[in-house]
């Protein structure tokens, strides 16, 4: 099971820092990659955007990869 949570609740406004957290219960532990749409944007369990702007709007998801294969999380949408 793999899911994304966004730190901070409520509306995201320009200039905010936003942290996306990918939780994966895969065993053995997986490598985590982040995608905005189809574009790879980072790796690691946490993806941080500082000083967010409307350019960052879009759908984000994380993918966990281990020797058993790859799993995508549901996408989360950022609207700035």
């Amino acid at each position: 099971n793999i899911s994304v949570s966004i730190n901070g609740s409520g509306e995201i406004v320009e200039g905010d820092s936003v942290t996306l957290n990918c939780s994966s219960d895969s065993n053995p532990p997986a490598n985590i990659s982040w995608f905005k749409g189809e574009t790879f944007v980072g790796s690691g369990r946490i993806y941080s955007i500082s000083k967010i702007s409307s350019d960052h709007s879009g759908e984000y998801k994380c993918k966990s990869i281990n020797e058993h294969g790859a799993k995508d999380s549901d996408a989360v949408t950022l609207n700035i």
Side-chain angles (χ1 to χ4, degrees):
N1 219 3
I2 177 171
S3 64
V4 175
S5 57
I6 303 176
N7 80 323
S9 53
E11 206 158 324
I12 298 167
V13 295
E14 285 206 54
D16 279 1
S17 294
V18 174
T19 305
L20 303 179
N21 201 332
C22 183
S23 57
S24 161
D25 56 12
S26 55
N27 196 10
N31 289 316
I32 306 291
S33 298
W34 288 95
F35 291 85
K36 178 187 176 192
E38 299 301 313
T39 307
F40 173 79
V41 292
S43 55
R45 192 166 288 277
I46 292 173
Y47 178 63
S48 293
I49 305 169
S50 55
K51 290 210 168 35
I52 203 160
S53 71
S54 55
D55 292 347
H56 294 109
S57 292
E59 283 196 338
Y60 291 80
K61 65 185 178 186
C62 61
K63 181 187 283 251
S64 73
I65 303 163
N66 65 13
E67 59 250 43
H68 298 303
K71 274 189 195 149
D72 283 356
S73 71
D74 289 335
V76 295
T77 301
L78 292 184
N79 288 312
I80 295 95

